[in-house]
């Protein structure tokens, strides 16, 4: 697992306002759903992206089929896709959002070539981490019982 400083992660989570969540599910027991819901409840403007649910409403936002359909800027793109699907997502994100700050790949998701491409554009890339878990850890919400349990819960 790549090491990231707490200061870097805290800075990203503090300055980010609008997050496009690629691969979000409408199923409330799927990690992509409850991570996006959690981020929305924490005050982030979450834009759900999933072509299979385009037109539906999640977290008060209309689901779009692709990043290029999002109006306005996005600070972070959070990727809930397999590692091999990352390069086209990164390419689309870089094309759609000239001021993109962060690309965040969820736990188990890594792609070195896509990371290098984004970093060459000045975009910070986080791989194999979850913003929900990092937020809870860094801002005092992760309870002692949550450490190393191996259990992922959709409960907030």
């Amino acid at each position: 697992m790549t090491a990231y400083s707490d200061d870097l992660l805290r800075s990203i989570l503090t300055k980010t306002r609008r997050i496009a969540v690629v691969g979000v599910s409408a199923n409330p027991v799927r990690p992509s759903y409850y991570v996006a819901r959690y981020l929305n409840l924490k005050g982030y403007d979450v834009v759900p992206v999933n072509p299979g649910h385009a037109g539906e409403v999640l977290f008060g936002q209309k689901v779009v089929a692709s990043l290029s359909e999002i109006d306005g800027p996005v600070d972070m793109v959070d990727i809930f896709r397999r590692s091999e699907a990352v390069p086209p997502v990164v390419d689309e994100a870089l094309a759609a959002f000239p001021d993109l700050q962060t690309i965040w790949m969820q736990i188990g998701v890594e792609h070195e070539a896509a990371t290098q491409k984004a970093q060459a554009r000045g975009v910070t890339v986080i791989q194999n981490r979850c913003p929900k878990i990092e937020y809870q850890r860094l801002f005092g919400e992760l309870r002692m019982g949550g450490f190393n349990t191996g259990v992922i819960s959709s409960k907030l």
Side-chain angles (χ1 to χ4, degrees), residues 10-17 44 75 101-102 124:
R10 189 178 290 107
S11 173
I12 291 168
L13 294 169
T14 301
K15 70 182 178 181
T16 296
R17 293 287 148 244
Y44 295 99
D75 301 316
Q101 298 169 12
T102 308
T124 301

Side-chain angles (χ1 to χ4, degrees), residues 25 39 54 74 81 100 140:
S25 174
L39 294 171
V74 165
R81 300 287 314 278
L100 183 66

Side-chain angles (χ1 to χ4, degrees), residues 4-26:
Y4 301 102
S5 74
D6 287 352
D7 287 341
L8 173 64
L9 297 174
R10 189 178 290 107
S11 173
I12 291 168
L13 294 169
T14 301
K15 70 182 178 181
T16 296
R17 293 287 148 244
R18 192 168 195 218
I19 304 171
V21 180
V22 177
V24 70
S25 174

Side-chain angles (χ1 to χ4, degrees), residues 112-128:
E112 196 54 41
T115 294
Q116 290 176 4
K117 186 174 193 174
Q119 289 173 333
R121 274 269 309 270
V123 176
T124 301
V125 179
I126 305 297
Q127 300 183 83
N128 196 25

Side-chain angles (χ1 to χ4, degrees), residues 35 40 45 63 96 130 133 137:
V35 167
N40 178 259
D45 179 10
V63 180
C130 176
I133 291 170
R137 184 178 68 81

Side-chain angles (χ1 to χ4, degrees), residues 57-72:
V57 175
L58 291 175
F59 329 113
Q61 295 280 340
K62 184 175 131 188
V63 180
V64 295
S66 67
L67 292 170
S68 60
E69 294 180 25
I70 298 173
D71 290 327

